[in-house]
Amino acid sequence: MNESIDTFPSIKKGLRVVCLNPILLVFSFIVIIAKILFQFFAQSLLLPQSNFFETTLNSTTFQQMIAAITQEAFLILFIIFLLHLILKSLGLVALIFLSNTYEKSLETKFSWKKIPFNRYQKILHLEIVFFLSLICIGAILNIPAYFATTRQLLDLAQIISLSALGITLAIAILFIFLYNYTAIYLSLSQISLRSAIENSYLLFRKNIKETLLLAIFFIFIRITAITFTTILFRPIASFLQLSSIHETFFSFFLTFFILILIEAWHWATLTIFFRKIALFKEPFSPLQEEKNMVQQKGVVGFDEV
């Protein structure tokens, strides 16, 4: 069994890397913009009505939703979704690569030419594979609910739909953890997508406790930072006698900046922690224990990146 790895040094060093290299905030900004675009895409496509659970469990909702979307609206949503994928892929490649570079030397000078932006295509493929896989899983799990609905077994259909939703959400959470490690693999090496996903699963399985602790920590940080900012900003706005428009604008700007800072901190920490578990030397790396020599080749060049 592997010894437990302390996550606090990675968190501490990740914050230091971001503070000493503010260029990371530029690429974190790109990632946050991409996430906002995806939220707009999801809300526009999946929440046309007010009650999400009611519309989700309604057997005719999906058909009505598709019928209500015009070709122009669908094209706009497709462009927004594609733009989200490209921006997020570019931002993540830069964030991960620079975090890896500064982790080895905080005094490294920034250079646009050194960032392997061409690897964004791998992240793009990863996004598409995980997104389509999740859609297919959700659709397959809802097939029994469809047949139950056709037989007028509405109560059973609702139970099956809720169960399918819960299973899909659980798989989506697993995909998020695998996505993080896979994105780092693809950004720092020439490893294939399939090998990167397999390696990521091995790392997650062998370091599940530490991975969950990091996830919980950054969820807590995000919630705490936004809550604290909201509570603290109101008395400051009242003291400065800001108008409602100015108060809304500055509150949004401050919250947005905090999200950018935390996003950069999150990926810097993940990259630093990843190096500890993927390049672990004693006694063997997780990949060596699995005797997967093809995949191991993808790990060996990280120090050369």
Side-chain angles (χ1 to χ4, degrees), residues 194-222:
R194 177 179 176 179
S195 296
I197 295 175
E198 291 175 352
N199 279 348
S200 298
Y201 172 73
L202 294 177
L203 289 182
F204 174 71
R205 189 183 69 183
K206 292 179 177 296
N207 301 276
I208 185 170
K209 183 181 72 173
E210 293 81 5
T211 303
L212 291 176
L213 285 175
L214 283 177
I216 293 172
F217 173 80
F218 279 102
I219 290 175
F220 174 78
I221 287 295
R222 285 184 174 93

Side-chain angles (χ1 to χ4, degrees), residues 2-206:
N2 290 342
E3 295 182 0
S4 178
I5 299 177
D6 189 6
T7 58
F8 181 74
S10 299
I11 294 173
K12 183 179 178 181
K13 190 168 185 179
L15 181 59
R16 187 184 177 197
V17 165
V18 174
C19 292
L20 295 180
N21 301 278
I23 187 63
L24 291 174
L25 299 180
V26 175
F27 300 105
S28 178
F29 169 80
I30 296 176
V31 175
I32 292 296
I33 291 296
K35 288 186 175 183
I36 292 176
L37 288 175
F38 181 76
Q39 289 179 0
F40 176 81
F41 165 81
Q43 292 177 1
S44 300
L45 186 62
L46 301 178
L47 300 177
Q49 303 182 37
S50 58
N51 194 324
F52 173 73
F53 289 101
E54 180 180 348
T55 57
T56 301
L57 299 178
N58 187 343
S59 61
T60 62
T61 296
F62 185 75
Q63 298 176 357
Q64 293 174 348
M65 179 184 70
I66 296 300
I69 298 177
T70 63
Q71 292 183 355
E72 293 79 5
F74 181 81
L75 179 60
I76 293 174
L77 289 176
F78 176 77
I79 293 175
I80 291 175
F81 181 68
L82 185 60
L83 185 61
H84 145 76
L85 292 179
I86 295 175
L87 287 177
K88 186 177 180 182
S89 301
L90 290 171
L92 282 184
V93 168
L95 263 180
I96 294 169
F97 180 83
L98 291 176
S99 296
N100 178 69
T101 301
Y102 293 134
E103 191 274 342
K104 293 184 294 183
S105 176
L106 293 174
E107 299 178 355
T108 303
K109 294 184 178 180
F110 171 75
S111 174
W112 288 93
K113 297 181 180 180
K114 293 182 179 180
I115 302 176
F117 284 113
N118 58 321
R119 293 181 183 173
Y120 89 94
Q121 296 179 359
K122 294 183 177 182
I123 308 295
L124 191 63
H125 293 161
L126 172 64
E127 291 269 1
I128 295 174
V129 167
F130 274 13
F131 180 77
L132 293 181
S133 298
L134 198 59
I135 294 296
C136 291
I137 291 173
I140 293 173
L141 291 176
N142 275 287
I143 291 177
Y146 170 78
F147 286 109
T149 302
T150 58
R151 295 177 180 272
Q152 299 300 315
L153 302 174
L154 300 182
D155 292 338
L156 178 61
Q158 291 187 0
I159 294 175
I160 295 175
S161 295
L162 285 175
S163 301
L165 180 62
I167 295 174
T168 304
L169 289 176
I171 295 175
I173 294 174
L174 174 62
F175 276 10
I176 291 175
F177 290 121
L178 295 181
Y179 174 89
N180 290 341
Y181 287 144
T182 305
I184 298 175
Y185 267 119
L186 296 177
S187 299
L188 299 181
S189 70
Q190 299 295 336
I191 194 171
S192 68
L193 177 59
R194 177 179 176 179
S195 296
I197 295 175
E198 291 175 352
N199 279 348
S200 298
Y201 172 73
L202 294 177
L203 289 182
F204 174 71
R205 189 183 69 183
K206 292 179 177 296

Side-chain angles (χ1 to χ4, degrees), residues 229-230 232-254:
T229 301
T230 303
L232 182 63
F233 187 76
R234 288 188 176 276
I236 295 177
S238 300
F239 176 78
L240 297 176
Q241 297 181 346
L242 297 177
S243 63
S244 58
I245 297 178
H246 289 157
E247 180 180 348
T248 303
F249 173 78
F250 284 113
S251 177
F252 172 81
F253 178 80
L254 184 58

